[in-house]
Amino acid sequence: MTRIPFIVFLAFLAACPIALRAEDAQSERENLEVFADNLKFQNGLEFMKLKMTEKALETFNEYLEIYQRGVHRHEAHKLIADIYFGRLEYLKALRHYRTLYEEYSTSESGIEGYFNTGVCYDKMGYEQKAMEVFNDIIEQHPDSIYARQARLQLDLLTIMTE
């Protein structure tokens, strides 16, 4: 009778290190994924610092493709859009600002992306579409700092169209 609990106890002790090793391997794998995620994004930032925007765009786009749930997705979309906006490529900027809003619509960076879609529409000459975006921001996100900016943009657009 005393042998059975002892054998069970030995089996338990033998299985514990295996279970702990499996947990350690899982934890290590997760740590490596986070490290790789950060490293890829940081590479894009370094290219930005070096004013190598083509390489930065390539790196950020690769990041978005590889890391579907990446920690820096919102930043990557914003940086890509900002690069295109700075180049006056408003349609490309618009796509990334819109995606930023679609993925992060409840966050401040998502609302900023939506506001910037309105600015892009305005820059491309689609004042009516820009006004719709700004009105939507005021209605959907009245407590956001972008609601105040949207009101200013609407006032400017109204003055310009008169």
Side-chain angles (χ1 to χ4, degrees):
M1 242 356 205
T2 59
R3 289 185 92 97
I4 293 176
F6 182 71
I7 293 172
V8 170
F9 178 72
L10 286 178
F12 173 75
L13 286 179
C16 280
I18 294 170
L20 291 175
R21 280 186 292 223
E23 284 180 20
D24 288 346
Q26 177 67 21
S27 177
E28 190 172 319
R29 187 171 29 259
E30 288 171 3
N31 287 340
L32 285 173
E33 288 173 9
V34 169
F35 179 75
D37 179 303
N38 287 328
L39 187 60
K40 185 68 169 178
F41 182 75
Q42 291 300 322
N43 285 341
L45 290 178
E46 289 302 316
F47 287 126
M48 293 275 299
K49 287 178 189 174
L50 295 170
K51 308 279 189 239
M52 298 174 67
T53 55
E54 283 303 317
K55 199 67 175 154
L57 282 171
E58 180 183 320
T59 304
F60 289 136
N61 278 311
E62 286 174 359
Y63 174 85
L64 291 172
E65 188 176 324
I66 294 168
Y67 298 100
Q68 298 295 317
R69 295 183 182 174
V71 178
H72 305 286
R73 284 187 67 80
H74 66 287
E75 295 168 277
H77 277 298
K78 183 181 180 334
L79 290 168
I80 291 169
D82 289 347
I83 290 170
Y84 285 133
F85 189 89
R87 292 179 173 183
L88 311 180
E89 296 180 51
Y90 300 121
L91 190 57
K92 290 179 181 178
L94 178 81
R95 287 185 197 127
H96 283 278
Y97 286 136
R98 189 180 308 136
T99 303
L100 178 61
Y101 180 65
E102 289 168 0
E103 288 187 20
Y104 301 96
S105 61
T106 59
S107 73
E108 208 58 30
S109 63
I111 299 167
E112 178 186 11
Y114 194 40
F115 174 81
N116 287 331
T117 63
V119 174
C120 287
Y121 281 127
D122 181 34
K123 295 285 187 183
M124 293 187 299
Y126 299 111
E127 291 87 6
Q128 192 59 41
K129 190 73 173 160
M131 291 174 101
E132 289 173 16
V133 170
F134 296 138
N135 278 318
D136 194 40
I137 291 171
I138 293 166
E139 291 173 20
Q140 299 296 321
H141 310 284
D143 297 332
S144 169
I145 62 169
Y146 296 101
R148 197 170 331 124
Q149 291 182 10
R151 280 188 199 90
L152 288 172
Q153 289 294 321
L154 282 172
D155 290 344
L156 289 172
L157 284 168
T158 303
I159 292 169
M160 299 293 284
T161 55
E162 287 180 350

